[in-house]
Amino acid sequence: MVETEAVISTLAGGVTALFAVFLTFYLRNQWQEIQSLRAIQTELEQNTERVRDLATLLTGDLQRQQVDLPIEVPPGTRLEIRYVVSFPSSLSTTAFDQLKHTGMFLRLSPDVRRSLLEVYDTIDRINRLRQHRERIHFDDIGNVHIVIDPTELDIEPDTSVSEADLSAETRQRLSDLRQLRRAMKEVNRSILRLIASIASPAMIDELDLEPFVDPDRERERGSRAESPPSDGVDLEELRSILNDVERHSVWSRFM
C-alpha cells in the first residue's frame, strides 16, 4: 500500500511538473505573440512618419526641377546651383520579419495576412527605389555644385551671361545636373505613387498626393467601407486592424 501511494505521488509530481513546463511554454509563446503584434504596430507608426517625411522631400524636389531651362545670368549677378538632398531613414521591416517567424502571423485571418504582405511589399519597393535614387545621386554623378560668376568671364561689362558664354567645364556640369534631375524626376514620381498607394486619405490630402493616386484605388476604397479588410489597406487602417486583433486577444489584458 505504501509503495502504491509512493508511485501515485511520483506520477502526480511528474504530471504536475509536465503541466508547469507546458504552461510556462504556452504563456511565453502568448507573451511573444502579443509583443510581436505591439512591435509591428509601433513599426507601422514609425513608417507612417518616415513616409510623410519622404513624400514631403520628394514633392518639394519635383517642384525644384527647373534646371532644364536655359541658363541666363543677369549682369553682375553670381549664380550658385547646388543639388544635395538628404534622405530620411529607410522604412523599417524588422518587426514584420519577426512576426512572420512567430505563430502569430499564421493565427491572423487570411485578409489581415494578405494586407500585411501587400503593405510590406510596397514598403520594400519604396526602400529599393530609395536606394536606387541614392545611387543615381551619389554614385553615378555625385553632388552637383555649380557657381557662375559673370565677373570671371571674358564678356563685356553689363552684359547678361547665356549658357554659350560659360566654360566647357561649367556647361558639362550643367548637363550632368540636367541628366541627374531627369533621372530623379522619374524615380521621385515612382516612389510617390507607391507612397500614395499606402497613405491614408488624410495623408494624401495633407501632402498633396492626389496626382499620384491610382484611380482604381479610390473606387476600391468606396466599396471597402462595409467590407472586411482586403487588398488596398493603408498604413493607418492596418495599424487599427492589428490593434483590434490585440484587443480581442484574452492574453493582451494580462500582458
Side-chain angles (χ1 to χ4, degrees), residues 148-208:
I148 304 172
D149 191 340
T151 62
E152 298 177 357
L153 302 175
D154 186 18
I155 57 174
E156 294 294 328
D158 299 326
T159 303
S160 295
V161 178
S162 68
E163 193 164 334
D165 299 314
L166 303 177
S167 67
E169 180 184 358
T170 301
R171 291 199 303 272
Q172 181 59 50
R173 291 179 69 78
L174 283 169
S175 175
D176 290 344
L177 179 56
R178 288 170 179 145
Q179 176 187 341
L180 170 66
R181 287 199 160 175
R182 281 193 294 271
M184 291 296 192
K185 187 180 296 185
E186 295 308 313
V187 177
N188 287 354
R189 287 172 175 166
S190 296
I191 296 176
L192 287 169
R193 281 192 289 268
L194 290 173
I195 289 175
S197 72
I198 57 174
S200 66
M203 184 184 291
I204 289 172
D205 292 340
E206 174 190 348
L207 301 176
D208 297 325

Side-chain angles (χ1 to χ4, degrees), residues 46-180:
Q46 293 171 345
N47 282 339
T48 300
E49 292 307 311
R50 291 177 184 177
V51 160
R52 180 177 282 106
D53 292 341
L54 182 58
T56 300
L57 181 148
L58 294 180
T59 52
D61 196 30
L62 282 175
Q63 293 170 2
R64 291 189 295 268
Q65 305 286 346
Q66 302 299 328
V67 180
D68 285 326
L69 300 175
I71 295 294
E72 182 172 323
V73 186
T77 301
R78 183 174 182 272
L79 178 65
E80 183 170 2
I81 303 171
R82 182 187 296 271
Y83 191 85
V84 180
V85 177
S86 298
F87 259 28
S89 301
S90 61
L91 306 183
S92 176
T93 62
T94 303
F96 176 61
D97 292 337
Q98 292 177 347
L99 184 71
K100 286 191 296 184
H101 292 94
T102 68
M104 189 65 206
F105 183 75
L106 295 177
R107 289 175 55 189
L108 298 171
S109 71
D111 284 330
V112 176
R113 292 203 304 268
R114 186 163 54 249
S115 294
L116 273 167
L117 290 170
E118 180 183 348
V119 166
Y120 273 90
D121 176 67
T122 302
I123 285 174
D124 181 63
R125 291 165 66 192
I126 290 172
N127 281 337
R128 283 187 279 120
L129 277 173
R130 176 186 175 279
Q131 291 174 351
H132 176 58
R133 188 186 188 283
E134 287 189 331
R135 183 183 61 78
I136 294 173
H137 190 176
F138 295 109
D139 295 341
D140 289 1
I141 298 176
N143 293 334
V144 178
H145 182 201
I146 303 169
V147 177
I148 304 172
D149 191 340
T151 62
E152 298 177 357
L153 302 175
D154 186 18
I155 57 174
E156 294 294 328
D158 299 326
T159 303
S160 295
V161 178
S162 68
E163 193 164 334
D165 299 314
L166 303 177
S167 67
E169 180 184 358
T170 301
R171 291 199 303 272
Q172 181 59 50
R173 291 179 69 78
L174 283 169
S175 175
D176 290 344
L177 179 56
R178 288 170 179 145
Q179 176 187 341
L180 170 66

